[in-house]
Amino acid sequence: MRTMIHVYGIPNCETVKKARAWLAAQGVDHTFHDFKKQGVPTERLDAWLAALGWEALLNRRGTTWRQLDDATRAGVTDAASARALMLAKPSVIRRPVVEWGNAVTAGFDPDDWQGRC
């Protein structure tokens, strides 16, 4: 029996759409947690930060990051400041975050995912 896969993100994000479509095409059952409707689960965020590090989880290439003022961007210097920003603006979290049982990834990489399914 496979471990349930949990996907976290924003449904209108193109990367999340591609990732979910890929999982469906592979016949992989998964749950989806919508950051916009359900918020960011703080206990999960803490686990992701511990597993991946704040630098890997923070999406500095996205629109939300680019729209932040310089002072806010400059203020993100460690896990605590990144965590606070991620809770306030979930769109700065690299998406999708996927829990594969005991492992977690951020972003969509079909080659890596193939080995996990």
Side-chain angles (χ1 to χ4, degrees):
M1 184 169 170
R2 275 193 226 182
T3 302
M4 178 54 77
I5 295 169
H6 303 283
V7 179
Y8 298 81
I10 298 167
N12 63 346
C13 169
E14 288 303 315
T15 307
V16 170
K17 287 179 184 178
K18 289 177 190 175
R20 294 180 72 196
W22 186 90
L23 289 169
Q26 304 302 313
V28 177
D29 289 332
H30 64 280
T31 63
F32 180 69
H33 181 101
D34 182 345
F35 288 155
K36 296 287 187 183
K37 290 183 180 176
Q38 298 168 282
V40 177
T42 56
E43 71 286 347
R44 301 312 319 138
L45 178 59
D46 292 338
W48 304 334
L49 288 166
L52 300 172
W54 68 273
E55 297 94 340
L57 200 55
L58 183 64
N59 181 6
R60 288 190 172 113
R61 289 188 271 171
T63 304
T64 302
W65 177 261
R66 290 191 308 266
Q67 289 176 346
L68 295 172
D69 60 69
D70 291 340
T72 301
R73 288 195 306 257
V76 180
T77 58
D78 58 16
S81 56
R83 180 183 186 275
L85 180 62
M86 290 175 193
L87 289 171
K89 297 200 175 282
S91 295
V92 301
I93 299 173
R94 186 171 177 214
R95 300 176 301 271
V97 176
V98 182
E99 294 177 340
W100 309 87
N102 293 329
V104 63
T105 60
F108 175 51
D109 180 349
D111 294 331
D112 176 62
W113 286 24
Q114 188 66 47
R116 295 178 185 275
C117 293

